[in-house]
């Protein structure tokens, strides 16, 4: 039994930041989120499709991080080109040079996990029936919806609404999108309306990330506004949303409250921006930065909770 299984394509990312193109590197939700889970101490598996000739470069770093990889070899690896402006990492343009085949229910290895994190990068990446399958097995299901709001036109990634994709949301425990993706996914005009629709359709908790403007968390008790934690330096924003959701779920698995999960995730996402590649910090690193930020810059953010020996938060009698 794994703590978490991440399902999605590990891709080759070619990032251009401020006109400078960097060497190709592993990327995709499956890569970034799995590294986070493993770094935070969870037993992690990845189910993906990568061409055999790319396994060493793209899957080797996951295996070295302690992630167990289930690769269904395919002829082509998905290749993304990400373009960021030098003065605003919130803005990204994307092109796709190649695409691997989709991941379907019949492809899945016979593994069990407490949490299943589904991260499609396009609408064809992951069969939505996989969500229902794992929910019926009793797993907690987290969905990063970004790929379900994307079409590929002439190699360019474009936003696209597809009515009917919300039918599986009753099987989703935590749903994440950025502020543009959620209105595209629902076809509604505002983030608040869109989040309410997603919850009405069955998702338990809805997270809306807004890059440097923080995030919103919609749950049974209403909406939480979570401020962003400014990074000490901005090197690479790729994988920031993936880091946020994985960090959030790592604490949610321990039964922590939504506010604490979201604050932890905001700090982890900030640490991700400060370096190229995925988050490599430990739980202790995230909590140390959280304490510094709360004391020195944003007292309203709240200090991190005390932790028990198993890493579970300990709250006072009045909490």
């Amino acid at each position: 039994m794994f703590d978490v299984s991440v399902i999605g394509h590990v891709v080759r990312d070619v990032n251009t930041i401020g006109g400078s193109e960097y060497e190709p590197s592993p990327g995709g939700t499956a890569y970034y989120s799995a590294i986070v889970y493993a770094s935070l101490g969870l037993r992690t598996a990845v189910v993906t499709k990568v061409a055999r000739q790319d396994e060493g470069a793209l899957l080797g770093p996951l295996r070295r991080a302690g992630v167990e990889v289930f690769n269904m070899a395919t002829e082509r690896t998905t290749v993304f080109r990400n373009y960021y402006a030098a003065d605003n990492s919130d803005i990204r343009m994307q092109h796709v040079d190649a695409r691997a085949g989709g991941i379907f229910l019949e492809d899945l290895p016979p593994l069990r996990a407490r949490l299943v994190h589904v991260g499609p990068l396009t609408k064809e990446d992951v069969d939505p029936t996989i969500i229902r399958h794992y929910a019926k097995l009793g797993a907690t299901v987290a969905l990063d919806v970004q790929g379900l709001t994307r079409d590929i036109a002439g190699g360019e990634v474009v936003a696209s609404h597809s009515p009917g994709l919300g039918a599986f949301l009753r099987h989703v425990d935590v749903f994440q999108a950025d502020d543009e993706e959620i209105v595209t996914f629902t076809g509604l005009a505002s983030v608040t309306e869109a989040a309410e629709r997603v919850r009405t359709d069955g998702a338990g908790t809805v997270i809306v990330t807004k890059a440097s403007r923080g995030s919103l968390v919609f749950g049974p008790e209403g909406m939480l506004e979570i401020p962003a934690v400014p990074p000490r330096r901005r090197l690479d924003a790729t994988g920031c949303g993936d880091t946020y959701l994985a960090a959030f779920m790592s604490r949610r698995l321990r039964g922590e409250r939504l506010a604490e999960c979201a604050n932890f995730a905001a700090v982890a996402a900030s640490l991700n921006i400060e370096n190229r590649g995925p988050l490599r910090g430990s739980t202790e690193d995230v909590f140390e930065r959280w304490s510094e930020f709360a004391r020195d810059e944003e007292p309203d953010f709240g200090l991190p909770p005390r932790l028990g020996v198993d890493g579970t938060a300990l709250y006072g009698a009045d909490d």
Side-chain angles (χ1 to χ4, degrees):
M1 171 74 79
F2 291 93
D3 292 315
V4 55
S5 174
V6 186
I7 301 175
H9 290 315
V10 176
V11 307
R12 182 186 296 116
D13 268 346
V14 183
N15 295 329
T16 299
I17 304 172
S20 298
E21 182 176 298
Y22 292 88
E23 287 294 318
S25 58
T29 294
Y31 176 73
Y32 280 95
S33 58
I35 291 285
V36 173
Y37 285 122
S39 297
L40 297 178
L42 281 75
R43 185 168 183 240
T44 305
V46 162
V47 178
T48 192
K49 282 192 172 182
V50 166
R52 292 195 183 280
Q53 65 268 24
D54 296 322
E55 283 199 27
L58 301 185
L59 303 183
L62 286 169
R63 292 180 171 127
R64 289 191 291 274
V67 177
E68 188 156 347
V69 179
F70 297 85
N71 182 40
M72 296 161 287
T74 181
E75 291 185 5
R76 293 183 300 276
T77 296
T78 299
V79 179
F80 267 80
R81 291 186 178 271
N82 304 301
Y83 299 89
Y84 296 92
D87 57 349
N88 189 352
S89 60
D90 291 353
I91 299 175
R92 176 177 67 177
M93 295 179 58
Q94 293 181 295
H95 286 77
V96 177
D97 290 356
R99 299 168 73 180
I103 300 172
F104 297 94
L105 185 59
E106 55 268 27
D107 296 326
L108 298 180
L111 62 86
R112 298 290 296 270
R114 297 165 56 208
L115 165 66
V116 173
H117 181 140
V118 181
L121 299 174
T122 73
K123 292 176 184 174
E124 289 75 30
D125 280 5
V126 179
D127 180 0
T129 61
I130 289 173
I131 293 173
R132 182 173 63 245
H133 169 75
Y134 279 110
K136 288 184 175 180
L137 291 178
T140 297
V141 176
L143 170 67
D144 184 332
V145 81
Q146 63 174 337
L148 302 184
T149 68
R150 292 170 165 177
D151 279 333
I152 310 300
E156 183 177 354
V157 178
V158 295
S160 175
H161 172 59
S162 294
L165 283 177
F168 55 83
L169 290 178
R170 65 185 182 276
H171 304 296
V172 173
D173 296 284
V174 178
F175 171 108
Q176 176 176 277
D178 70 23
D179 48 354
E180 294 182 357
E181 291 163 353
I182 196 167
V183 296
T184 298
F185 180 76
T186 60
L188 297 175
S190 76
V191 167
T192 301
E193 287 179 302
E196 290 174 351
R197 171 65 60 80
V198 172
R199 290 204 70 244
T200 298
D201 286 345
T205 299
V206 175
I207 298 168
V208 180
T209 56
K210 302 188 296 178
S212 61
R213 294 173 289 119
S215 57
L216 303 173
V217 179
F218 298 83
E221 298 180 1
M223 184 187 77
L224 298 172
E225 295 189 60
I226 307 298
V229 176
R232 295 190 176 108
R233 59 180 182 174
R234 290 181 175 271
L235 286 186
D236 188 358
T238 308
C240 226
D242 305 322
T243 298
Y244 186 109
L245 182 56
F248 182 99
M249 294 307 303
S250 76
R251 305 313 300 177
R252 196 63 178 159
L253 274 183
R254 296 184 179 275
E256 293 193 20
R257 299 175 303 186
L258 294 181
E260 277 68 35
C261 295
N263 287 340
F264 184 88
V267 177
S270 176
L271 292 176
N272 183 86
I273 295 174
E274 295 178 357
N275 298 282
R276 293 191 178 92
L279 177 75
R280 298 287 183 173
S282 65
T283 299
E284 290 73 20
D285 294 329
V286 178
F287 272 74
E288 180 180 352
R289 181 62 180 281
W290 180 350
S291 295
E292 292 173 1
F293 178 70
R295 278 196 293 260
D296 300 338
E297 299 186 51
E298 188 62 60
D300 291 340
F301 196 72
L303 290 169
R306 295 174 294 113
L307 298 181
V309 293
D310 64 348
T312 301
L314 300 175
Y315 299 102
D318 296 332
D319 291 327

